[in-house]
Every structure is written in structure tokens, then in C-alpha cells.
Amino acid sequence: MQLTGTPFFVCTVILVPISIAVAMVLWGRVRGPKPVRVLSRLAMLVFCQATAVIMVFVMVNNANLIYGSWDDLLGTGKHVRAVPVVPPADPAPNGAPTAGATPAPGAAAPAGDAKPPANKVQQAFRGVDDPKVPGDVQKTDLKGQLSGVDGEVLVWLPPQYNDPAFKDKKFPVVELIPGYPGSSSTWYGTLKVSEQLKPLMQQGKVAPFILVSPRTLLLGNRTDAGCTDVPGKVNADTWLTRDVPQMILDNFRADPSADRWAIAGYSAGAHCASKLSLAHPNRYRAGVSLSGYNDPATEKDSLVGKDPALREANNPVNLVKHAAQPPKVALYVSGNKGDGYEDGQAIASAAKAPTTVQVVETTGPHSSDVWKDMVPGVFEWLTGVIPVQ
């Protein structure tokens, strides 16, 4: 029985009154020495409390899709097949190397080992087995050819995609990064991104973006990969910025121009969105950060935050300060005071044209309810950066 969805939740709900009824029936029937009776009754109380706690946990997890599977919850999933040395990346289009830059989707490949696969890899797609995720969201299991990472990728196509009038059209793309811990389903199931944007796309208020949400929970044992290539541990950056985009280009009519790609995230995913867009300006034109942070060590389980050199190299402020040339990236950074707002101001203070940073102060808790309500406005802003064509 899967962790998310109705069946397991119903079981936990039923178990609560059953545990209480069992305790009431057996309470006066316990026999033996006093210590045995006390321990037996204490065990009954603990069992009742445990069933109630499990029910609440499952209810919260279903609402927020924090853990998408038992493997994610228990930290037993294996998504790093290997950690190969990643081929060197192309320089930025103007010839100036960028921090951790990789070739733009569809761009000319560098010579030698950095050359991407010559043949397209066609993926098999299926529906998402989660009642909270809309039926028009597709799922595939991708084996990252460059990163050595294996994981699911969820894809939603805009209403125009299958319209005969758009049969020769190539579409812009937004990668959607969940928080930590977080599921690739959260943007669709909790933030309702496709359900909110579909009518806006039909009305022409939002560009017809292909929405892509890849797995980011790659390491077990309660460890956050931080969307970073960590030698000997994981190639999370390469997975997100090279393998996943290449799969989209191989299987869909996606626009290969970096000017038509963006990346968005909330919480830990917001940190990823800021960092990856600034580190790869020849891949992403825009980044959206909802209640994020700059210092990777803000997330106590971050593998990157525990390494001083990686911690400095993956701070968006440092990426802006130390770029050979200011990246042509538009950032939208939102957050409450003490929860991302000051981090956005720090990036804005360090940024120089053509980098632009719009900082928006929000109110409310660090929660999906706040981010869900922001989705329409954020994508209208994105449409201003990556307009309808």
C-alpha cells in the first residue's frame, strides 16, 4: 500500500477508534503483579497515541506531499547509480566561463567527452499514481546519462501543445523544484500549478509553458543534495541542468533556446532555483525563488552546507559577485522578513546589469498555502520575461 493517497489514510483513521476500543475493553482485564498491570496499561495508552500521531502525519503528508513514497520517508531509496566525472561544460555564449556553466539545451556541444548523446532517447510515460495529481500530468523514470542519477520526472503539457494550430510550435519550459524533503508531485498536487495555469494559458495571460518537475530527493539517510555536484557523492546539478532538459528536448517540442527556459522553486527548491539560474545563464533566462535562502547551511541536512568550499561556491550572492560577466538572468525572489526577503535583497544589492532581481515581500508562514496563492502572479511575471510567441 503506497504512502500517499486515500487507502492508507483511511486505514490510519480506522485504526484510531479501534485502538481506543481495545484499550477500553482490556483496561480492567489486565492481570498479574502491579508493575505488569501498570506497564500493560501504559502500552495501551502509547498505542492509542501512536495511532493518532500516525493519522495526523499521513493527513499532513497527503496534503503537502512531503514524502512521495515509503523509500523517501525511510531514507532507503537508491537514486544514485554512479558518480561519474562530469564532462566539462561549454563556456557562456560570449566566451566568458560562468560558475559551473553547462551547455544550453540544444546548443552546440563542446568537443570530446562533453559531447551529448548523438541519438535521442525516447522515454515511456504513464500517469501518476496519486489521486492529488491531475490526470494530465505524465511521469517517466529517467536514467541520467551524464549524472549517474536515476529518478522520476513529472511533465505537464500546456493546452496548446496538442492543438493542431500549434503542431509546428516549440514551447518554453519551466523546471519546478520542490523543497526538502519534497516530492516531484508537490507542485502539481499541493500547489495546483497546472490547474491554476491552464485557464490563464487558454486566455493568453500566461505563456504556454511545459512544466517539468524532477526528483530532487536523491540521497537517503536524511541528506539534502542541495542541487549540487558533490564529488564522490552525487551529481545533482548535472541531473537537473543537463540530463532532465535533454530528456525534455528528446521527447517534446521544447524550445532549445536558453532564453525560453526558466527554473522555479520554493523553500530549499527556491535556493536551487536562484543558484542554478545564476550559475547557468546559458541554460536559464529566469529563476523564481519563493521563501528561499542564500547560505546552503541554512538547511541543516544539506551536504553542501557542511563543506566550506562548496558552501561558499553555491551561495547565489557569491555567484553574482564572482561571475566573469554579470549573468543575463531575471530573478523573482519573494519571502517574508526573516524568511527569504533579506536574502533576496542581498542578491539585488550584489547584482549588476544585465542581471535583474525583483524582490517581493510576502506575509504569512513558510507554507504551501502561501506559495500556492502566488503561482498565478509569478507565472504572469515569467511571461513578461519569456513572452508568448
Side-chain angles (χ1 to χ4, degrees):
M1 189 178 294
Q2 68 180 36
L3 176 63
T4 59
T6 303
F8 182 62
F9 175 61
V10 170
C11 288
T12 64
V13 172
I14 294 173
L15 195 57
V16 172
I18 289 177
S19 67
I20 296 172
V22 169
M24 292 176 66
V25 170
L26 298 180
W27 191 268
R29 299 184 182 184
V30 177
R31 298 291 182 264
K34 185 175 181 179
V36 173
R37 297 198 305 273
V38 170
L39 289 174
S40 298
R41 289 166 178 160
L42 180 61
M44 294 179 199
L45 293 175
V46 170
F47 180 59
C48 291
Q49 290 290 330
T51 58
V53 169
I54 291 172
M55 181 193 69
V56 172
F57 166 78
V58 173
M59 181 171 61
V60 171
N61 188 65
N62 282 359
N64 296 282
L65 295 175
I66 300 169
Y67 297 101
S69 67
W70 289 105
D71 281 340
D72 288 347
L73 174 63
L74 301 174
T76 55
K78 297 184 182 299
H79 299 281
V80 179
R81 170 177 22 95
V83 192
V85 175
V86 179
D90 246 357
N94 59 14
T98 58
T102 56
D113 292 337
K115 194 172 183 178
N119 299 319
K120 291 184 177 182
V121 178
Q122 297 298 317
Q123 293 289 126
F125 288 84
R126 62 188 186 279
V128 181
D129 187 19
D130 191 318
K132 289 203 67 177
V133 177
D136 55 357
V137 178
Q138 307 174 62
K139 177 179 179 180
T140 190
D141 296 315
L142 176 65
K143 288 187 174 293
Q145 296 187 44
L146 292 175
S147 66
V149 169
D150 298 338
E152 78 278 3
V153 182
L154 274 59
V155 180
W156 179 81
L157 301 175
Q160 291 90 338
Y161 191 89
N162 293 312
D163 185 334
F166 291 80
K167 64 183 178 63
D168 298 320
K169 175 80 171 178
K170 290 189 175 181
F171 292 82
V173 181
V174 181
E175 282 190 70
L176 304 172
I177 311 300
Y180 171 84
S183 164
S184 53
S185 298
T186 308
W187 272 92
Y188 304 105
T190 304
L191 272 61
K192 308 292 183 185
V193 62
S194 59
E195 294 176 73
Q196 292 194 75
L197 295 184
K198 185 175 182 178
L200 297 178
M201 291 179 181
Q202 292 171 326
Q203 296 164 22
K205 295 180 179 179
V206 169
F209 295 106
I210 295 174
L211 303 180
V212 183
S213 184
R215 166 174 283 276
T216 55
L217 201 59
L218 305 177
L219 301 170
N221 301 319
R222 303 292 186 271
T223 302
D224 176 21
C227 303
T228 301
D229 286 0
V230 182
K233 298 289 186 181
V234 62
N235 290 324
D237 182 319
T238 300
W239 160 252
L240 294 170
T241 65
R242 299 176 73 170
D243 283 333
V244 171
Q246 189 61 53
M247 183 275 289
I248 296 299
L249 290 170
D250 286 351
N251 290 270
F252 300 99
R253 297 196 314 275
D255 196 319
S257 169
D259 282 340
R260 306 290 288 165
W261 282 66
I263 186 167
Y266 63 86
S267 192
H271 166 73
C272 293
S274 295
K275 180 189 72 172
L276 294 176
S277 60
L278 292 170
H280 305 288
N282 55 345
R283 181 172 294 286
Y284 302 106
R285 177 67 180 89
V288 173
S289 169
L290 306 179
S291 303
Y293 50 81
N294 293 333
D295 183 356
T298 301
E299 171 50 63
K300 63 181 180 63
D301 291 332
S302 171
L303 189 63
V304 178
K306 294 176 171 63
D307 183 301
L310 288 174
R311 179 180 176 183
E312 289 297 312
N314 287 276
N315 187 313
V317 173
N318 293 335
L319 287 171
V320 171
K321 286 182 176 179
H322 303 315
Q325 291 189 11
K328 184 185 176 183
V329 171
L331 281 182
Y332 180 103
V333 185
S334 73
N336 204 342
K337 288 184 178 177
D339 185 25
Y341 179 68
E342 292 84 357
D343 294 80
Q345 288 182 313
I347 301 174
S349 297
K352 297 178 181 178
T355 308
T356 62
V357 184
Q358 180 170 334
V359 184
V360 177
E361 183 178 356
T362 61
T363 57
H366 189 88
S367 76
S368 57
D369 289 336
V370 172
W371 306 320
K372 180 175 68 175
D373 290 344
M374 296 182 68
V375 164
V378 163
F379 275 82
E380 288 176 5
W381 174 86
L382 261 181
T383 300
V385 178
I386 304 175
V388 176
Q389 288 187 341

